[in-house]
Amino acid sequence: MDPLLLGALVAVFTILVLFSGISVGAGLLVVAAGFLIVFDGMRSLSLLPEIFFGKLDNFALLSIPMFIIMGAAISSTRAGADLYEALERWLTRVPGGLVISNLGACALFAAMSGSSPATCAAIGKMGIPEMRKRGYPDGVAAGSIAAGGTLGILIPPSVTMIVYGIATETSIGRLFLAGVLPGLMLVMLFMAWSLYSTWRSGDTNLLSGASYTWRQRIEILPRVVPFILIILGVLYALYGGVATPSETAAVGALLCLLVAVVIYRLWNPRDLWVVLRDSTRESVMILFIIAAAGVFSYMLSSLFITQSIANWIGTLEANRWVLMGAINLFLLVAGFFLPPVAVILMAAPILLPIITTAGFDPIWFAVVLTINMEIGLISPPVGLNLYVINGIAPDIRLQTILKGSLPFVACMVLGIVLLCLFPGLATWLPDAVMGPEL
């Protein structure tokens, strides 16, 4: 069978299997094993265990459970509420300061936890009721938190970036740095739209914040500063050449657990067990998908599907930006139905040779891919963040939350356009800190 036709067949069967409700990792294994048996014989199965476990034989993978523990320790405390309250007290006199506080808290909490749903839940529980009480439109209140939560997979340290780095053998340090400026750009775009939408509502009297004394502003800082210092310390250790990403993640996880115990009194063994149990579950899920995706990639390569697609793309006369537009559309649709980790691990082996052949930077592309995955988090039918917000504020209709999130989707699309026009937004900081890639 022609490899391109076979590739289309693999794509159709993969979609059908994943839509059946089976877990992503198991689905990839079923598809890979099935096609290898049909087209390469039973003997091909003897290699699968070695490929499966060999994909996990990577020291960099240790950073994934460590960063997940780091985020789980923060998410299990009142850190999100304290972060939100601190920003509210300091920005209360700024027009529309409450929505800025929400988005700023989402950005900082996302940097600490690396989890979009956790960010939505932690900041939304405090932010949405307060914004509605002050007169902010329900769409702005819910949409801003849903969109702000997506920053968890872009602003470092990001598990999604780690997965992309492992899947494409790209520097994780560079990927982390590449997400900083685009992440701040998205925060600015989100804030700009929120302030405009708030101003357009006309309820300026209801938008004024409460009055806080300087003592009240300062007394909240000891609860927030330690976590921010940990993030800065992790980034310094990573980029200062002090430690590897895995070592840095381990120290960060330990420090976050200590802060949670000392400041938030999380010393009940049962609470600590919940943190470690949930972290283990999420880590195993991600590692299982990584291993299964390694088998899936082997199948694509063994049947010459990846190479044939790359060669076919190379023969096309289409403009490279038309090609990039088609890739973005594919990622956008995939992000509507699948979690970011699954999309990256499935698509990276196919897309990486295509984008490099077309002259695109893999570091820059990682940021573009991640923003597409962010859009999927606030878009139906799977849109995880939409359902998290609906769980926090069940009296806000899901349609209202979706309508409120659509302008933020437009902001993300604008962010992708700006990255295409100015790729230095993603590549300048990694080159400035770590030097140009050879």
Side-chain angles (χ1 to χ4, degrees):
M1 183 180 292
D2 179 72
L4 291 177
L5 181 59
L6 182 57
L9 197 60
V10 168
V12 170
F13 270 88
T14 303
I15 292 170
L16 291 176
V17 169
L18 294 181
F19 277 10
S20 70
I22 192 173
S23 68
V24 174
L28 294 178
L29 281 178
V30 167
V31 174
F35 275 90
L36 283 172
I37 291 173
V38 171
F39 292 95
D40 210 12
M42 291 295 294
R43 60 184 177 81
S44 60
L45 294 183
S46 62
L47 294 173
L48 298 193
E50 182 180 349
I51 296 168
F52 184 90
F53 290 105
K55 198 66 180 177
L56 299 176
D57 186 18
N58 187 337
F59 184 71
L61 287 174
L62 287 175
S63 61
I64 292 178
M66 293 299 102
F67 277 126
I68 289 175
I69 290 174
M70 183 176 170
I74 295 170
S75 302
S76 63
T77 67
R78 275 185 47 85
D82 287 341
L83 186 59
Y84 163 78
E85 191 174 345
L87 287 173
E88 184 199 2
R89 292 185 184 186
W90 282 90
L91 298 174
T92 186
R93 293 299 181 186
V94 178
L98 191 58
V99 73
I100 294 178
S101 300
N102 276 281
L103 288 167
C106 282
L108 289 173
F109 193 86
M112 292 189 291
S113 71
S115 169
S116 292
T119 301
C120 283
I123 307 302
K125 286 176 184 176
M126 291 283 292
I128 292 177
E130 190 65 24
M131 292 179 76
R132 298 178 74 190
K133 185 174 73 176
R134 300 275 182 85
Y136 285 83
D138 285 352
V140 172
S144 61
I145 299 294
T150 65
L151 298 169
I153 63 173
L154 179 60
I155 296 178
S158 163
V159 172
T160 305
M161 288 292 195
I162 296 173
V163 171
Y164 178 91
I166 292 170
T168 61
E169 298 183 355
T170 308
S171 166
I172 294 173
R174 285 185 175 275
L175 291 171
F176 279 2
L177 285 174
V180 173
L181 292 182
L184 294 176
M185 175 187 69
L186 287 183
V187 172
M188 295 297 107
L189 290 174
F190 291 169
M191 287 182 176
W193 166 254
S194 298
L195 291 175
Y196 168 73
S197 182
T198 299
W199 168 79
R200 192 178 60 177
S201 71
D203 298 329
T204 53
N205 292 329
L206 294 174
L207 301 180
S208 58
S211 178
Y212 294 99
T213 65
W214 280 101
R215 179 179 178 180
Q216 290 174 315
R217 293 177 180 177
I218 293 173
E219 68 183 6
I220 191 73
L221 293 181
R223 286 182 171 269
V224 177
V225 170
F227 285 117
I228 297 176
L229 290 178
I230 289 174
I231 297 298
L232 294 176
V234 165
L235 295 178
Y236 171 77
L238 188 60
Y239 301 117
V242 178
T244 65
S246 299
E247 294 166 345
T248 302
V251 174
L254 177 61
L255 291 177
C256 281
L257 282 172
L258 289 176
V259 169
V261 169
V262 173
I263 295 181
Y264 292 97
R265 304 180 183 277
L266 193 74
W267 49 52
N268 187 323
R270 186 172 300 174
D271 294 334
L272 289 173
W273 167 250
V274 170
V275 170
L276 296 176
R277 181 198 65 195
D278 292 347
S279 300
T280 301
R281 285 177 177 173
E282 187 173 351
S283 300
V284 170
M285 177 194 70
I286 293 175
L287 292 174
F288 181 68
I289 294 175
I290 289 174
V295 175
F296 188 79
S297 299
Y298 167 77
M299 179 271 293
L300 294 176
S301 178
S302 177
L303 301 181
F304 297 98
I305 295 174
T306 306
Q307 301 92 318
S308 298
I309 293 176
N311 292 334
W312 176 68
I313 293 294
T315 62
L316 294 178
E317 299 296 331
N319 182 281
R320 70 180 193 135
W321 290 108
V322 174
L323 174 63
M324 181 53 63
I327 290 174
N328 273 281
L329 184 61
F330 161 74
L331 292 173
L332 196 60
V333 173
F336 288 165
F337 300 97
L338 295 171
V341 170
V343 175
I344 290 171
L345 290 170
M346 290 171 58
I350 298 174
L351 295 181
L352 187 65
I354 295 173
I355 63 165
T356 51
T357 301
F360 292 106
D361 188 323
I363 299 290
W364 170 86
F365 179 69
V367 178
V368 173
L369 185 155
T370 303
I371 296 177
N372 275 290
M373 297 301 98
E374 288 184 327
I375 294 174
L377 288 171
I378 55 173
S379 302
V382 178
L384 181 59
N385 286 14
L386 300 178
Y387 297 103
V388 172
I389 296 298
N390 191 232
I392 294 171
D395 56 324
I396 302 180
R397 297 171 65 234
L398 191 60
Q399 292 90 330
T400 303
I401 300 173
L402 174 59
K403 186 177 178 181
S405 69
L406 289 179
F408 295 97
V409 170
C411 290
M412 294 181 190
V413 173
L414 176 59
I416 293 175
V417 172
L418 290 174
L419 279 166
C420 291
L421 294 175
F422 309 103
L425 287 169
T427 58
W428 174 80
L429 191 58
D431 289 345
V433 174
M434 304 181 69
E437 273 193 299
L438 301 176

